[in-house]
Amino acid sequence: MKIAMIGSGYVGLVSGACFADFGHTVVCIDKAEAKIEALKRGEMPIFEPGLEALVAENVKAGRLSFTTEFAGPVSEADVVFIAVGTPSRRGDGHADLSYVYAAAREIAQSVRGFTVVVTKSTVPVGTGDEVERILRETRPEADIAVVSNPEFLREGAAIGDFKRPDRIVVGIEDERAREVMTEVYRPLYLNQSPLLFTTRRTSELIKYAANAFLAMKITFINEIADLCEKVGADVQQISRGIGLDGRIGAKFLHAGPGYGGSCFPKDTLALVKTAQDNDSPVRLIETTIAINDTRKRAMARKVVSALGGEVRGKKIAVLGLTFKPETDDMRDAPSISIIQALQDGGAHISAYDPEGMEASKAVLDNVTYGTSPYDIAEGAEALVIVTEWNQFRALDFQRLKAGMAKPVLVDLRNVYKPEEVARHGFAYFSIGRGTSPMVAPVCEAAE
Ligand SMILES: NC(=O)c1ccc[n+]([C@@H]2O[C@H](COP(=O)([O-])OP(=O)(O)OC[C@H]3O[C@@H](n4cnc5c(N)ncnc54)[C@H](O)[C@@H]3O)[C@@H](O)[C@H]2O)c1
């Protein structure tokens, strides 16, 4: 198959490289010239484990190339994927579809012969109809089928997720697209990854329902963690205790500083907007968003209270900035709100992240970046783990303690065992692990 991939960001580049690896011929197109020039030189514009080698291999084999030009690759393609960004629209929180529609207009100029146009970007229900309308209005004679094929990969594990997906969802309105999409995903289909064909609108909504559910699951365990702190219970044991129940499942039950990243915040908001517009509000998700929004600054208050209620003039070292490990993505990372809230309280922030410091400089002011956990901890009154990179899992506590002004560790990801940290003489604060004294059971209190 000949594939044109429009948008070469986290999703477009990974999908393009993986499709090429399946044996298809893929051209990745992007408007951002610097990105395409870097890719042509073999430099990755993003950090994603394994991506550089996969891209290099497929470029060498002649199956993968990069360009800023639409006309050639789109006219030759059997399938054109749209994988551009769909951020929150400023002001109202709806998904900003301007990049998707701009891509559709560009595609319309160049398609030739029967072409399947696939929306891989996360788009609100009904967007496929509009993409089809744009294509037909611009080129009434074009022979096209518009398909929805949302992407479920996770940054940091994107290649594995793409090549071994739990399922592939394809929403079609034109039966001719079924055969083409089955061919596109043949290697996965042969590997028994379920290929789920639905209507286009159903497929679009599956993506939002999935992300909203996961965001809700995280938020649920975060609230249980707060309750644990009040009643002296341990949220990690609760996660295990409920996660072993097959109906619940163990994933996405790690209490932490609130969800962030390039998808959950914007997708939950967009779903709420779509639901409200259709007079069918999704109140669970509205509440999820509200809880998560307040949680990040609440995490900053946790740090303030670990420092005795006052951070003005104090140095606080932050470990981990990206919204999760193994990515350089800072979009809506919890670290942003936490650091800003601490700065509002007058704290000086030093920070270290293995991959996110460049991206962080664009969103955070007045942060001093260091070269290692030990470097930033020098003279600090507290060390705060915000993102659980593997290299933060075996810190040398004696070395940290020797450099810090005070041995205080606030672990917002529950990386460590409380006894272990205490043994090294640190005051230790984590999430949902009963630091408060146990309250008397209600029946006893009543007696
Ligand atoms: N990042 C993820 O983990 C993830 C996972 C699943 C789904 N998604 C969805 O996939 C879509 C893309 O996300 P992303 O993280 O890859 O975004 P991104 O911002 O990393 O990449 C988007 C790319 O599209 C390019 N672009 C924008 N308009 C263009 C146009 N008209 N023509 C050509 N290129 C254009 C941009 O220059 C950019 O390089 C979004 O809808 C997102 O919600 C993302």
Side-chain angles (χ1 to χ4, degrees):
M1 288 259 144
K2 287 194 166 168
I3 294 177
M5 181 67 65
I6 299 183
S8 305
Y10 286 87
V11 166
L13 187 54
V14 170
S15 307
C18 289
F19 281 140
D21 211 44
F22 293 169
H24 302 306
T25 304
V26 181
V27 184
C28 284
I29 304 167
D30 205 289
K31 288 261 184 216
E33 277 178 30
K35 197 173 263 193
I36 293 299
E37 284 313 311
L39 283 164
K40 284 182 176 169
R41 290 192 302 271
E43 294 163 18
M44 294 303 103
I46 54 168
F47 172 76
E48 180 61 45
L51 187 60
E52 189 165 348
L54 189 73
V55 166
E57 228 170 85
N58 284 282
V59 167
K60 195 165 165 223
R63 292 188 296 261
L64 180 62
S65 58
F66 304 100
T67 180
T68 52
E69 303 295 327
F70 281 69
V74 170
S75 67
E76 284 174 21
D78 303 298
V79 188
V80 181
F81 280 90
I82 300 175
V84 300
T86 49
S88 282
R89 190 163 67 187
R90 260 175 206 280
D92 66 3
H94 274 284
D96 177 355
L97 295 172
S98 57
Y99 304 101
V100 172
Y101 295 152
R105 280 188 283 273
E106 296 263 15
I107 294 166
Q109 307 292 339
S110 309
V111 275
R112 220 177 41 201
F114 177 58
T115 310
V116 178
V117 178
V118 187
T119 311
K120 195 162 247 327
S121 301
T122 303
V123 293
V125 62
T127 303
D129 303 355
E130 182 61 13
V131 167
E132 181 162 354
R133 195 193 62 73
I134 290 172
L135 288 163
R136 296 208 185 284
E137 188 181 271
T138 320
R139 281 280 299 284
E141 78 288 5
D143 188 11
I144 45 124
V146 175
V147 166
S148 159
N149 171 219
E151 183 50 56
F152 298 95
L153 63 77
R154 294 162 302 166
E155 286 176 23
I159 294 170
D161 283 353
F162 195 91
K163 290 189 166 183
R164 287 177 297 280
D166 291 337
R167 78 307 204 183
I168 301 147
V169 175
V170 181
I172 56 170
E173 299 297 320
D174 179 334
E175 273 303 313
R176 292 178 300 169
R178 183 188 295 262
E179 209 178 303
V180 175
M181 292 306 285
T182 306
E183 190 56 36
V184 166
Y185 282 107
R186 180 166 301 280
L188 300 184
Y189 181 58
L190 294 177
N191 267 347
Q192 317 234 303
S193 293
L195 194 48
L196 181 67
F197 283 98
T198 68
T199 65
R200 201 161 59 198
R201 284 182 166 242
T202 301
S203 164
E204 289 168 338
L205 197 51
I206 283 173
K207 173 66 190 176
Y208 281 97
N211 274 2
F213 189 87
L214 294 172
M216 190 174 68
K217 201 171 174 190
I218 294 172
T219 305
F220 172 81
I221 202 65
N222 284 340
E223 284 210 305
I224 294 292
D226 290 348
L227 179 59
C228 284
E229 289 181 15
K230 293 279 175 8
V231 301
D234 182 330
V235 73
Q236 284 184 302
Q237 290 180 22
I238 291 181
S239 293
R240 188 158 161 74
I242 63 173
L244 285 169
D245 185 329
R247 294 168 300 178
I248 296 174
K251 292 182 179 164
F252 281 75
L253 282 181
H254 302 289
Y259 62 78
S262 58
C263 293
F264 287 176
K266 77 174 176 66
D267 292 347
T268 45
L269 199 54
L271 178 63
V272 162
K273 294 294 167 185
T274 301
Q276 285 170 352
D277 283 358
N278 286 278
D279 214 4
S280 180
V282 283
R283 294 187 196 91
L284 280 172
I285 308 309
E286 289 175 13
T287 307
T288 297
I289 294 171
I291 295 168
N292 195 65
D293 281 349
T294 53
R295 185 166 187 81
K296 297 174 195 170
R297 284 184 82 90
M299 292 298 110
R301 290 198 295 279
K302 196 178 183 75
V303 177
V304 174
S305 103
L307 283 174
E310 182 57 78
V311 293
R312 185 157 302 281
K314 295 180 180 169
K315 176 176 172 181
I316 298 175
V318 173
L319 272 187
L321 295 165
T322 52
F323 82 95
K324 64 169 169 177
E326 301 298 332
T327 182
D328 58 350
D329 201 337
M330 282 293 295
R331 287 177 282 186
D332 264 317
S335 64
I336 300 171
S337 308
I338 295 170
I339 288 175
Q340 285 171 339
L342 291 172
Q343 288 176 329
D344 289 347
H348 303 300
I349 304 294
S350 61
Y352 172 72
D353 187 284
E355 295 292 339
M357 292 194 288
E358 272 317 300
S360 167
K361 286 173 190 168
V363 285
L364 283 166
D365 293 326
N366 300 318
V367 172
T368 308
Y369 296 94
T371 53
S372 74
Y374 309 99
D375 180 31
I376 62 161
E378 202 60 40
E381 307 220 4
L383 183 66
V384 185
I385 299 178
V386 178
T387 313
E388 69 282 29
W389 285 85
N390 275 338
Q391 58 175 268
F392 305 154
R393 289 182 184 277
L395 293 170
D396 179 341
F397 285 108
Q398 289 315 319
R399 191 172 160 201
L400 281 173
K401 199 174 158 192
M404 290 177 71
K406 285 200 183 113
V408 176
L409 178 62
V410 184
D411 178 1
L412 299 181
R413 297 287 182 173
N414 288 350
V415 170
Y416 288 99
K417 291 198 171 77
E419 325 75 76
E420 181 189 352
V421 186
R423 224 181 15 249
H424 292 287
F426 272 75
Y428 180 67
F429 303 85
S430 60
I431 302 283
R433 293 195 289 183
T435 45
S436 314
M438 182 125 148
V439 294
V442 175
C443 53
E444 279 180 30
E447 277 167 12

